[in-house]
Amino acid sequence: MLGTLVSHWITAPRLILALSEGGQLPTLFGRLAPRRRTLDIAILTTGTVAIVLALGGDFVTTIAASSASRLLIFMGCAAALLRLRRQHDAPDARFGLPLGVGIATCVIAACGALLVAASAELARLGVLIVVGGLLWLISNGKHGFRRLR
């Protein structure tokens, strides 16, 4: 768990910066501190969320949330594979996965089933997903609502 925690501490602020630069989060999260050139707001946000999650639940719930976040990433990657295969203007793939559509669909279904099985422990993760979705919609304004249609 310590390795997972340290990797999240290192990567999460950089992910927040990338989302901010891509217009998917408010620019406030991508702002660098003038003197040290560090992502102070992203680091504080990540730390605050980690503290709230750590203090707000027991060990089993924390493990379930950590596992669920990975499952959501796997589902997102599989969904991206499906979407990229349908796009005609996407760059050529460097590697072709035989039965890729079937495998990606099975990954999404399996991850979804695991998330449903752990739904009791994941109520807080659902709240975070809703808050993240609202931040995305706010930062994209009208464009975010158009993308959902």
Side-chain angles (χ1 to χ4, degrees), residues 30-68:
R31 198 171 293 154
L32 297 175
R35 191 171 55 113
R36 292 182 310 273
R37 308 290 295 159
T38 56
L39 300 166
D40 290 351
I41 294 173
I43 292 169
L44 287 172
T45 302
T46 303
T48 302
V49 170
I51 288 170
V52 168
L53 288 174
L55 296 177
D58 59 358
F59 185 69
V60 173
T61 304
T62 306
I63 297 281
S66 176
S67 298

Side-chain angles (χ1 to χ4, degrees), residues 65-78:
S66 176
S67 298
S69 67
R70 286 188 185 93
L71 290 173
L72 290 170
I73 290 170
F74 295 157
M75 289 175 77
C77 291

Side-chain angles (χ1 to χ4, degrees), residues 62-145:
T62 306
I63 297 281
S66 176
S67 298
S69 67
R70 286 188 185 93
L71 290 173
L72 290 170
I73 290 170
F74 295 157
M75 289 175 77
C77 291
L81 171 74
L82 293 174
R83 183 168 181 181
L84 285 172
R85 283 191 172 217
R86 285 195 312 257
Q87 285 183 342
H88 299 292
D89 59 343
D92 291 334
R94 294 183 185 176
F95 171 77
L97 180 64
L99 302 172
V101 172
I103 292 171
T105 304
C106 288
V107 166
I108 292 170
C111 290
L114 289 170
L115 287 171
V116 168
S119 61
E121 291 86 11
L122 299 176
R124 281 184 302 206
L125 183 62
V127 170
L128 288 177
I129 291 169
V130 169
V131 169
L134 289 174
L135 283 173
W136 177 77
L137 289 172
I138 290 168
S139 68
N140 285 304
K142 294 178 184 174
H143 301 292
F145 289 107

